[in-house]
Amino acid sequence: DFGPRGWLAIDPKGLMGERGFDYANMVCNPDIATAGAKGALTRRARIVREEAGLEPLRHLQWVLAWGALSASWTLDGGGDAAPAVRMAELAAAELS
């Protein structure tokens, strides 16, 4: 966020790959209190999958991967990775 100029970069990490990856992040935002609320992942992921035409198992696998990747980026920056790890745990629980 560049203040008065607003957001200037949407994906500064420049990742390339399967389109389903981008949809994983949608169910992990805006914060762990919202995304991690009881039943939130199930409800939000269903809506995203239906609208985007994603396969349910694959989408949850991407949510788990996103949580792990986000945790590593956060740790690399010296932050608290617990929220990202929690999202990965929630996705893993949905997969089992």
Side-chain angles (χ1 to χ4, degrees):
D1 184 0
F2 289 84
R5 295 178 61 203
W7 290 97
L8 300 179
I10 294 172
D11 188 1
K13 302 232 181 334
L15 302 174
M16 291 181 47
E18 189 176 315
R19 77 180 189 93
F21 176 78
D22 284 332
Y23 291 97
N25 190 23
M26 293 177 75
V27 299
C28 299
N29 285 319
D31 54 45
I32 192 62
T34 302
K38 184 175 172 98
L41 176 61
T42 301
R43 289 188 309 276
R44 297 171 93 197
R46 180 184 48 78
I47 292 167
V48 168
R49 287 192 304 259
E50 288 174 1
E51 293 299 317
L54 300 173
E55 193 273 315
L57 175 65
R58 191 72 173 161
H59 181 237
L60 286 171
Q61 289 171 328
W62 278 122
V63 173
L64 194 157
W66 173 259
L69 182 59
S70 183
S72 69
W73 284 336
T74 302
L75 287 172
D76 189 48
D80 177 13
V85 170
R86 181 65 184 136
M87 284 309 301
E89 291 171 342
L90 290 170
E94 290 278 325
L95 286 165
S96 56

